[in-house]
Each structure stands twice: as C-alpha cells, then as structure tokens.
Amino acid sequence: MNKKQGKLLGKTFETVQYTDHTMGITVNGQRRTIHFANGIDQRENGFIGGKYHTTDPDEIKILENHPHFGTEIVLFKNVIEYDYNSSLTNDTEQKEDTMKIVDEVTTMAEASAWLKKNFDDVSYKEVSNAKAIKSFIKDNKVSFPKLFK
C-alpha cells in the first residue's frame, strides 16, 4: 500500500519528567500558557509524560526551538492529513517487507519510547511490557537486536 503525501495538521509534544505541567511561552510578543496533561505515573508499568497538542505553526516553532526540546520536551507525534485521491506517492517510503533494525535500543523503556516516537497512534498498552513490545515490533517489522537476542 502506498502512502500518499500528507499535510501536517499539528504536533503533539510530551514532557519526559511530568504527568501534568504548565509552562509559559511567548508567541509573536504575546504570552501564552500551555498545559501538558493526562500523563500516567505507574512505577510498576512505567511513566508516560503529559501531552500538549497544537495546530498553531508559531507554537510548534517555539516548542521545537525551546532549550528543553529533545531533553525535557519531546515530539510525541505528528498529526498528518492524507489526500487519498492524489496520485503522488512518497518516494522515501520503505518497502513493506523491509525490517527496520534499531541497534541503539537496549532497555524496555528505550524500546517503548522509540516506538511511541516513531509510530503514530501507539497506545500505552501496545508497548507497556516485553510481550506487548515483542508483538508490536513483529507486526510492524522492527528489530531491537541488543534487547531481544
């Protein structure tokens, strides 16, 4: 199945240390408060940071250029609208039978974080434990050779 080119509708950002976090940003000279919410702190199952979704390109630019982006604030997912009537195809799309090998993942927490970062709409339950992660990576043609030997 060929993916069609899509239009970015918005981005969802996640905090890596807080389940609920409010911060101020300045957009075009105006001070705005943004709220990262609905995180989960379950020590036995892992930590999921609060999320903030925006469709405002100025807010996206501010957050992606924030000094804490990539360390305390990460991109959770892009929200893309696809045009299924277009005949354009994505030239960078990998073949469906190609296995993605990820050598840098060595722990379950890293595997869960990598999958949430690299797959849209991954639920917590889909990557919450070893059995779920193994099933997900098998179905999505991903390999973590340093984690699962």
Side-chain angles (χ1 to χ4, degrees), residues 1-4 89-96 98:
M1 177 174 132
N2 287 335
K3 280 188 176 179
K4 305 296 181 190
T89 59
N90 186 349
D91 294 335
T92 61
E93 179 182 354
Q94 292 183 346
K95 293 180 182 176
E96 287 188 26
T98 301

Side-chain angles (χ1 to χ4, degrees), residues 5-42:
Q5 286 188 345
K7 174 185 171 191
L8 181 67
L9 293 181
K11 293 189 177 193
T12 302
F13 296 89
E14 178 179 12
T15 61
V16 298
Q17 295 181 339
Y18 305 102
T19 57
D20 190 73
H21 181 65
T22 301
M23 66 182 276
I25 60 172
T26 303
V27 179
N28 298 324
Q30 298 289 321
R31 196 76 176 142
R32 294 186 190 174
T33 301
I34 60 173
H35 184 205
F36 295 84
N38 301 321
I40 300 171
D41 188 2
Q42 296 178 336

Side-chain angles (χ1 to χ4, degrees), residues 11-142:
K11 293 189 177 193
T12 302
F13 296 89
E14 178 179 12
T15 61
V16 298
Q17 295 181 339
Y18 305 102
T19 57
D20 190 73
H21 181 65
T22 301
M23 66 182 276
I25 60 172
T26 303
V27 179
N28 298 324
Q30 298 289 321
R31 196 76 176 142
R32 294 186 190 174
T33 301
I34 60 173
H35 184 205
F36 295 84
N38 301 321
I40 300 171
D41 188 2
Q42 296 178 336
R43 299 290 180 208
E44 66 279 1
N45 292 324
F47 178 87
I48 299 175
K51 310 281 187 303
Y52 176 72
H53 178 79
T54 182
T55 57
D56 183 328
D58 293 328
E59 282 188 8
I60 292 169
K61 184 176 178 182
I62 297 288
L63 287 168
E64 288 180 336
N65 290 308
H66 193 278
H68 297 293
F69 183 74
T71 56
E72 294 179 25
I73 300 169
V74 295
L75 179 63
F76 179 71
K77 70 178 175 181
N78 291 321
V79 178
I80 299 173
E81 176 182 66
Y82 292 101
D83 179 4
Y84 291 102
N85 297 321
S86 172
S87 62
L88 298 174
T89 59
N90 186 349
D91 294 335
T92 61
E93 179 182 354
Q94 292 183 346
K95 293 180 182 176
E96 287 188 26
D97 60 347
T98 301
M99 178 70 70
K100 171 73 175 166
I101 298 171
V102 185
D103 286 324
E104 65 268 16
V105 171
T106 58
T107 67
M108 292 302 218
E110 289 174 350
S112 180
W114 190 92
L115 292 169
K116 287 190 284 182
K117 179 180 177 186
N118 289 281
F119 287 88
D120 289 342
D121 300 323
V122 175
S123 73
Y124 170 73
K125 191 171 190 172
E126 289 176 294
V127 293
S128 63
N129 59 53
K131 184 177 179 181
I133 290 171
K134 284 180 182 180
S135 175
F136 187 88
I137 65 175
K138 180 182 175 192
D139 293 345
N140 290 282
K141 300 187 181 340
V142 175

